[in-house]
Amino acid sequence: MDKNEKKISTATMTFMCFSTLWGFGNVLNGYVYFNGVQVIIPWIAMFLLYFIPYALMVGELGSSFRHLGGGVTSWIQETTNAKLAYYAGWTYWAVHIAYIAGKGSGGLKALSWIIFRNANIYDNFKTIYVQLATIGILFFFCWMATRGISPLKKLGAIAGSSMFVMGILFILMMFAAPAISPNSAFLKQDYSFASLLPKVDKNFLSNLSILVFAVGGIEKISPYVNKMQGDSSKDFPKAIMLSTLMVVISAIFGTIAMGMMFDVQEINANFDSYAANGAYWAFQKLGEYYKVGNLFLIIYALCNMIGQFSTLLISIDAPLRMLLEDQNANQFIPRKLLKRNEKGAYTNGILMVACLSGLIAVVQMFGSGAATVMRQLTKLGGVTMPLRYLWVFVAYFALKKNREDLDRGYTFVKSKGFGMFIGAWCFVITLACCIMGMWSPDKIQMALNIATPVIIVVLGLLLPVIRKNEDKKFLS
């Protein structure tokens, strides 16, 4: 590394980890899907049994392959073979199909709150009209991705930072609210162990994938392991542990803040509405406590709308480039998908994104309302997005099994056998939560949850066969 390059302090790395992992939506989803404050125990269990070992595995992988930039595809390539590296890259791209479908709906929802300042008007629109609008938004941003337009990406980064800050401010301001507005009605919760102990049933098990999704993705910061000040073998795990502590505090105190606002019985009676609108109601109520009307609501909705639409654009473009530009992966991709226009955009790949994400929107036209569509997309994201984390654990298992010779700046587990066990443990937890998350009493939800991963797997297996046949014709 260049000696003049500014190195990252432990405090900066801690904040980078925290902001990469956490957001206000995670607090809301936990509260809504796990019966209010009863989510506290599942959060703690998820952090201890899954997130901490996951994060420290990423530290060792990033340190071992620091010269490759820390990508999961590269990790798989170096520890196994090129074919598995393709599957890793494919999975990372393919799981964004459902994510992309959700961003269009999320952006429209935020826009409706800016205009109407309530949930009723948007939620009462006919589902077919909402989904047609969602498809229109999807196609528009797919077109933007082919034109190489980037200003919205920069605006989205600002909006994303603002959303992060607002999530922290929400917790602080809610705890101060009783002193600011003593005459307002605040709910009281029972925090005894018996009351906090969740009921483990089909709903509980099917919702665990949402928590897995919430704490996943820390591999994004792995390229910075060896760019830290001092000894990264000590300072990086310290940053991980500090950021984990911050996430735990945010999850628990954010849940307590939610408990001051929202009655669990009311949530369960209007589940889809709270799953879709709870964050907006939270900031609307906060504005009432501080006597500023809808100010906080409008700021939150505006940041969310910009963030949703910019993330939609980035998610169409970036994962596709990661897959098609990787030399290890693109040798298994049909040549037509590698076609680029004068702007450097992969036009046929973007067309495939539009078709697959649009298909999800079409299926949801048969749903019962806009709020239900948002709930379905949240659950679908919880089932599909964590599938990409599986390759992190495959890479770590293979690292401990095959590449103990590598020089590392940081080692999570020195024991080869125990390291392989931890990699397998997190793999099994992730896969089990995704499979359990497929169950739903909603038939459309369950069909989406099952069909989407199946289509991802089938397409992932089919594309190398098409490329192989193309290569035979090309060489003949």
Side-chain angles (χ1 to χ4, degrees), residues 33 127 202-203 206-207 271-272 363-364 366-380 437-451:
Y33 281 90
T127 310
K202 285 192 295 186
N203 284 324
S206 69
N207 289 333
F271 187 85
D272 286 358
V363 171
Q364 289 186 302
F366 302 98
S368 57
T372 300
V373 167
M374 291 296 296
R375 185 258 299 159
Q376 289 173 344
L377 290 170
T378 299
K379 283 287 290 180
L380 181 59
M438 293 179 182
W439 178 86
S440 174
D442 180 339
K443 292 181 180 179
I444 293 178
Q445 175 80 75
M446 192 163 180
L448 284 170
N449 290 350
I450 294 173

Side-chain angles (χ1 to χ4, degrees), residues 213-229:
F213 180 28
V215 299
I218 198 170
E219 63 271 11
K220 293 177 184 178
I221 55 91
S222 60
Y224 306 105
V225 175
N226 289 317
K227 295 182 180 180
M228 294 185 66
Q229 294 175 358

Side-chain angles (χ1 to χ4, degrees), residues 5 33 70 77 91 106 235 237 268 273 359 366 398 407-408 455 460:
E5 183 179 350
Y33 281 90
Q77 168 73 20
T91 304
D235 293 336
N268 292 335
S273 290
L359 181 61
F366 302 98
D407 176 37
R408 298 162 169 80
I455 291 172

Side-chain angles (χ1 to χ4, degrees), residues 107-229:
L108 287 174
K109 162 64 73 174
L111 178 61
S112 76
W113 271 97
I114 294 171
I115 297 171
F116 304 120
R117 316 285 167 84
N118 66 69
N120 296 332
I121 296 177
Y122 181 81
D123 288 353
N124 288 327
F125 283 149
K126 288 187 177 180
T127 310
I128 188 170
Y129 298 142
V130 172
Q131 291 308 97
L132 284 173
T134 300
I135 292 171
I137 291 289
L138 170 65
F139 287 172
F140 174 73
F141 279 96
C142 283
W143 173 79
M144 284 188 71
T146 67
R147 309 313 302 164
I149 299 173
S150 61
L152 191 60
K153 297 179 182 180
K154 296 177 181 177
L155 194 59
I158 297 172
S161 301
S162 300
M163 287 280 288
F164 167 71
V165 171
M166 290 195 71
I168 301 300
L169 286 177
F170 171 82
I171 297 172
L172 297 175
M173 294 178 75
M174 265 309 298
F175 279 100
I180 300 295
S181 184
N183 295 324
S184 298
F186 297 98
L187 300 178
K188 292 185 178 181
Q189 301 283 350
D190 181 359
Y191 290 101
S192 65
F193 181 77
S195 296
L196 291 178
L197 195 64
K199 179 183 179 182
V200 180
D201 54 14
K202 285 192 295 186
N203 284 324
F204 177 90
L205 294 174
S206 69
N207 289 333
L208 284 175
S209 60
I210 291 176
L211 300 189
V212 170
F213 180 28
V215 299
I218 198 170
E219 63 271 11
K220 293 177 184 178
I221 55 91
S222 60
Y224 306 105
V225 175
N226 289 317
K227 295 182 180 180
M228 294 185 66
Q229 294 175 358

Side-chain angles (χ1 to χ4, degrees), residues 297-346:
L297 163 67
I298 294 170
I299 295 173
Y300 174 80
L302 183 62
C303 291
N304 197 21
M305 182 190 70
I306 297 171
Q308 293 277 349
F309 286 149
S310 62
T311 302
L312 171 59
L313 181 61
I314 293 168
S315 297
I316 291 169
D317 183 65
L320 188 63
R321 289 182 183 275
M322 290 174 64
L323 173 67
L324 300 185
E325 291 180 356
D326 187 279
Q327 296 302 312
N328 300 316
N330 65 20
Q331 62 181 303
F332 300 102
I333 301 290
R335 295 177 185 273
K336 288 184 178 180
L337 290 178
L338 301 177
K339 178 183 176 183
R340 305 175 77 166
N341 64 10
E342 69 281 1
K343 300 286 186 179
Y346 291 93

